[in-house]
Amino acid sequence: GAVVSQHPSWVICKSGTSVKIECRSLDFQATTMFWYRQFPKQSLMLMATSNEGSKATYEQGVEKDKFLINHASLTLSTLTVTSAHPEDSSFYICSAETSGSYEQYFGPGTRLTVT
Amino acid sequence: QKEVEQNSGPLSVPEGAIASLNCTYSDRGSQSFFWYRQYSGKSPELIMFIYSNGDKEDGRFTAQLNKASQYVSLLIRDSQPSDSATYLCAVTDSASGGYNKLIFGAGTRLAVHP
């Protein structure tokens, strides 16, 4: 149980285009989902936290107009990188938690390369 | 700025030995502490979590917590080459409200050699 999926697993896009990444909890209802970014040889940096039906809370320094997060249901959150640039190339990982649980369940990650 | 500090390594241990990984954190209000293992190119997977001071054992893994010293450790007994990975320490942010926002350390790279 407690499986989180991400789609796509990897994506290559041209500079200036937008990319959407989906995060789904497959067998539980995720009250909260988290989006992280990880650059090579660095740790996970939290970008934003989303709760179903409400606006995401962004961490300091993360542009909310560039990284659009939509938590449309208790099983789906999406991250859209708008007007992507090469410096946005990174490993994007989502996680989900359910009410009453201390544990975050991580998705497999999405590797974004912007050319 | 709340921080979680880990030695980046690499920590190199022979197969069968005990690997000791350490972590210190700055947020005195943190309540939950996690160890994740991350293989290269993969997302983190939970190894253990601990909430109370003292030791918690699960198979070959033992987590140790000392809230007074703001220190968490992970011992891996009988280390195997398959344990070679980066180990991330994470603690909950006491100011995160109704959800469990995690603060991650940069990770310690463990290399177990045959």
Side-chain angles (χ1 to χ4, degrees):
Chain A
V3 178
V4 176
S5 70
Q6 278 185 246
H7 179 81
S9 55
W10 59 270
V11 57
I12 301 172
C13 71
K14 292 187 184 295
S15 187
T17 62
S18 295
V19 174
K20 180 185 283 189
I21 302 170
E22 290 187 350
C23 176
R24 292 182 185 272
S25 57
L26 299 185
D27 51 3
F28 67 100
Q29 293 188 326
T31 50
T32 304
M33 287 185 169
F34 303 87
W35 287 96
Y36 295 88
R37 181 167 53 180
Q38 186 177 35
F39 292 107
K41 299 197 184 304
Q42 295 186 25
S43 190
L44 277 72
M45 296 302 296
L46 180 65
M47 300 175 67
T49 303
S50 74
N51 294 287
E52 184 261 342
S54 60
K55 289 185 177 180
T57 301
Y58 290 81
E59 294 299 301
Q60 192 172 8
V62 178
E63 299 174 60
K64 61 181 179 181
D65 294 330
K66 180 173 180 65
F67 299 100
L68 302 178
I69 292 172
N70 183 14
H71 195 154
S73 73
L74 284 172
T75 60
L76 173 65
S77 177
T78 60
L79 167 68
T80 301
V81 183
T82 63
S83 187
H85 291 285
E87 57 266 31
D88 298 323
S89 298
S90 189
F91 192 42
Y92 291 86
I93 308 172
C94 74
S95 70
E97 69 173 24
T98 189
S99 179
S101 170
Y102 289 98
E103 185 174 347
Q104 288 187 25
Y105 304 97
F106 282 84
T110 297
R111 188 160 301 283
L112 169 64
T113 301
V114 184
T115 61
Chain B
Q1 181 81 1
K2 296 174 181 176
E3 294 181 336
V4 175
E5 300 283 347
Q6 294 183 256
N7 189 320
S8 62
L11 173 65
S12 182
V13 300
E15 184 174 357
I18 295 175
S20 177
L21 305 163
N22 305 313
C23 168
T24 58
Y25 60 95
S26 64
D27 185 354
R28 281 203 167 275
S30 293
Q31 294 294 316
S32 305
F33 308 86
F34 303 82
W35 283 100
Y36 288 87
R37 178 174 62 195
Q38 186 175 27
Y39 292 110
S40 181
K42 303 294 185 182
S43 70
E45 56 178 319
L46 183 66
I47 298 296
M48 289 194 69
F49 58 87
I50 186 168
Y51 308 134
S52 304
N53 278 326
D55 296 358
K56 180 182 179 183
E57 186 174 319
D58 184 0
R60 296 187 296 114
F61 300 95
T62 298
Q64 299 174 317
L65 173 61
N66 184 325
K67 289 186 179 180
S69 300
Q70 295 173 246
Y71 173 87
V72 194
S73 67
L74 179 70
L75 299 178
I76 306 174
R77 289 181 297 282
D78 188 25
S79 296
Q80 300 297 309
S82 58
D83 294 327
S84 298
T86 297
Y87 288 79
L88 304 173
C89 173
V91 309
T92 51
D93 183 340
S94 63
S96 59
Y99 50 87
N100 294 303
K101 174 180 165 181
L102 295 179
I103 305 169
F104 280 85
T108 297
R109 192 157 59 91
L110 172 67
V112 181
H113 53 87

